[in-house]
Amino acid sequence: MATHQSRRRWGIAALSACALLLGTASAATAANDVLDPSSDLFVDFHSSTVEAAAGLTGQAQADALLLGSFPGSSWLTQGTPTEVQAEAHEIVTAAADQGQVPTLVAYNVPFRDCAQYSAGGATSQAEYEAWIDGLAAGIGDQEAVVILEPDGLGIIPWYTTIDGGLEWCQPVEADQATAAAERFAMLNHAVDVLTALPNTAVYLDGTHTGWLSVGDVTDRLIKAGVTRADGFFLNASNYQETEKLQKYGTWVSQCIQLDQESWFERQWCGSQYYPATPTDFSTWGLTDAAYDQAYADTGLTRDPAAMAHFVIDTSRNGQGPWTAPAGVYPSPEEWCNPLDRGLGLRPTTDTGDPLIDAYLWIKVPGESDGQCLRGTAGPQDPARGMVDPPAGGWFVEQAAELIAFAVPPVTRPTCEVSYTVHGTWPRGFNTQVWLKNTGTTTIDGWQLAFAFGGGQTVDHMWSASYEQVGQVVTASNLTWNATIRPGARTTFGFIGRTDGGPNPEPLLFLRNGAACTVA
């Protein structure tokens, strides 16, 4: 897609920071934006979801491939600066080949998750900043969305809140006197380095409606450099309802504007807690009215083009948050692998709201939150009667639940593909592909996309035309085999060439953009 001049970073500080980082870079170059309603989000044929599917069979594999057919996120969580540079470069290059925008989740800050289920991260400020520099080098001038440190502002070590309270995250390894300031310094460094790139959109942690008040999260966002970023993200790896997050994000954006452009102070901002009642959504209009009054009092005008924008994680919020049965678990951990949750809105940049840049699947749906014990000695998750996979591991049962309880519902595959390599020779192979209509309506025209796993190329193809861009091959029907009736199938074949390396078979097949099962 074309690059558009950004309307979402503002302030002289942003231009100064970018100029310092890029030397001769112009303000316009440093202020480009990659998300608009026409943007195509990246479907990664080699995502962690597809990798998980490779180790599964039957319905579990079909579920994983269905989830992998939607645009998702690539989590970058470890490695040296050189390693993260290579990993990011591979992802953004693959996305650029398809004309799509990838979402990269940077999750490596020291004391991430405060040593809970997703503990880890860099070991020092210098190590983290070098890692961020490597990430930025890997992205380069390609388009990318960076979700900068989930929980990075919600959980800060040794942090004193805007209300003067010391938060619970108090790791003994961290210096109480400097840990919070270092967190903000690291995030500011990341904002400056990443927004200096010409085609990268950067979003900071805005938590969610069941967590921080608007004034508190606004305070943290401003300290972390949100006025030099594209905005903030909400609900990462969580389950809060989209309609509540839409209001909450709008209030945060308004609170930032009021604080930065008038005498109004962030601690005065209305929130889900007051004047609204958090458990009664019908009262949230009271907070809307409070912002109307604040704008009237300050004389400011809401201008979405000049305000902080936001993105919402809708990967698992179709059913909203889980309410644990009262008194059953010592610590219910409602956020940790809750039962019977569903996918939310599908990823899109066409949100219909000028402040919401996208609905994204930031959390990879189907990957575990961790081995949830809910205050018990374990090792089983007492809510599920089983040992949950470790954080990031594939969770077969949860993947099935997310599909079964999705809102809106997910369309199951209506096609099946078999991919058979009939013969191989040094640097070559012969393949036949069958495409079957497993639906109830006739297919009238088809394109079948799949991706090689290495340096393979199609030498020539019969019974279909084709295009190969990077690793992705798209085969298209000819006139005589465009129609496939329910229960019928058609076939095409090709001669492939290899670079002498491994020749893994493709696993994710998209027929006209939708997943097929694999025979």
Side-chain angles (χ1 to χ4, degrees), residues 248-398:
Y248 179 77
T250 300
W251 296 338
V252 173
S253 181
Q254 292 175 159
C255 186
I256 293 170
Q257 185 189 24
L258 288 164
D259 180 273
Q260 294 292 286
E261 298 182 17
S262 77
W263 48 262
F264 198 92
E265 297 186 15
R266 62 196 77 167
Q267 59 266 35
W268 301 338
C269 290
S271 76
Q272 72 275 38
Y273 298 115
Y274 185 82
T277 300
T279 57
D280 184 356
F281 189 60
S282 69
T283 69
W284 287 35
L286 297 173
T287 297
D288 290 333
Y291 281 95
D292 290 341
Q293 187 63 54
Y295 274 91
D297 291 344
T298 59
L300 287 180
T301 301
R302 296 177 178 90
D303 179 9
M307 296 166 68
H309 287 201
F310 58 100
V311 297
I312 297 175
D313 184 358
T314 59
S315 61
R316 304 188 298 179
N317 71 345
Q319 296 289 338
W322 179 55
T323 301
V328 174
Y329 310 117
S331 177
E333 297 178 339
E334 289 92 346
W335 53 269
C336 192
N337 295 332
L339 283 69
D340 299 338
R341 301 303 91 193
L343 300 168
L345 294 173
R346 307 301 104 86
T348 181
T349 57
D350 189 7
T351 68
D353 188 310
L355 286 177
I356 304 176
D357 288 342
Y359 299 121
L360 302 176
W361 284 4
I362 296 174
K363 170 69 176 180
V364 178
E367 290 187 357
S368 175
D369 295 314
Q371 294 179 319
C372 314
L373 303 181
R374 310 194 193 281
T376 69
Q380 290 191 338
D381 177 346
R384 291 183 172 273
M386 62 179 291
V387 177
D388 297 345
W394 190 254
F395 201 157
V396 170
E397 293 81 2
Q398 188 182 81

Side-chain angles (χ1 to χ4, degrees), residues 83-223:
E83 290 168 340
V84 75
Q85 177 178 345
E87 188 175 2
H89 177 73
E90 181 178 4
I91 295 166
V92 299
T93 300
D97 286 343
Q98 302 306 311
Q100 297 174 337
V101 181
T103 299
L104 307 179
V105 182
Y107 190 56
N108 195 40
V109 74
F111 301 105
R112 72 180 184 207
D113 204 29
C114 202
Q116 297 187 101
Y117 292 123
S118 299
T123 61
S124 68
Q125 180 176 345
E127 182 179 307
Y128 180 73
E129 292 180 354
W131 186 85
I132 285 291
D133 293 346
L135 170 60
I139 296 171
D141 61 0
Q142 303 284 15
E143 291 188 327
V145 171
V146 176
I147 302 299
L148 187 57
E149 299 298 338
D151 295 336
L153 291 175
I155 305 175
I156 303 174
W158 293 105
Y159 182 63
T160 300
T161 71
I162 192 172
D163 298 320
L166 182 62
E167 291 209 325
W168 62 270
C169 180
Q170 302 173 15
V172 295
E173 303 89 348
D175 186 336
Q176 180 177 356
T178 62
E182 288 172 354
R183 171 65 59 85
F184 287 114
M186 286 183 278
L187 293 176
N188 272 278
H189 175 84
V191 167
D192 287 338
V193 169
L194 293 167
T195 58
L197 300 174
N199 297 303
T200 298
V202 182
Y203 299 89
L204 286 156
D205 177 27
T207 72
H208 59 72
T209 53
W211 199 345
L212 300 182
S213 69
V214 171
D216 193 355
V217 77
T218 296
D219 181 56
R220 301 180 194 209
L221 284 166
I222 291 172
K223 290 175 180 175

Side-chain angles (χ1 to χ4, degrees), residues 416 434-439 443 483-490:
E416 179 185 85
W434 287 92
L435 173 61
K436 181 178 180 180
N437 182 354
T438 59
I443 293 173
T483 300
I484 312 174
R485 298 187 185 282
R489 62 179 185 164
T490 191

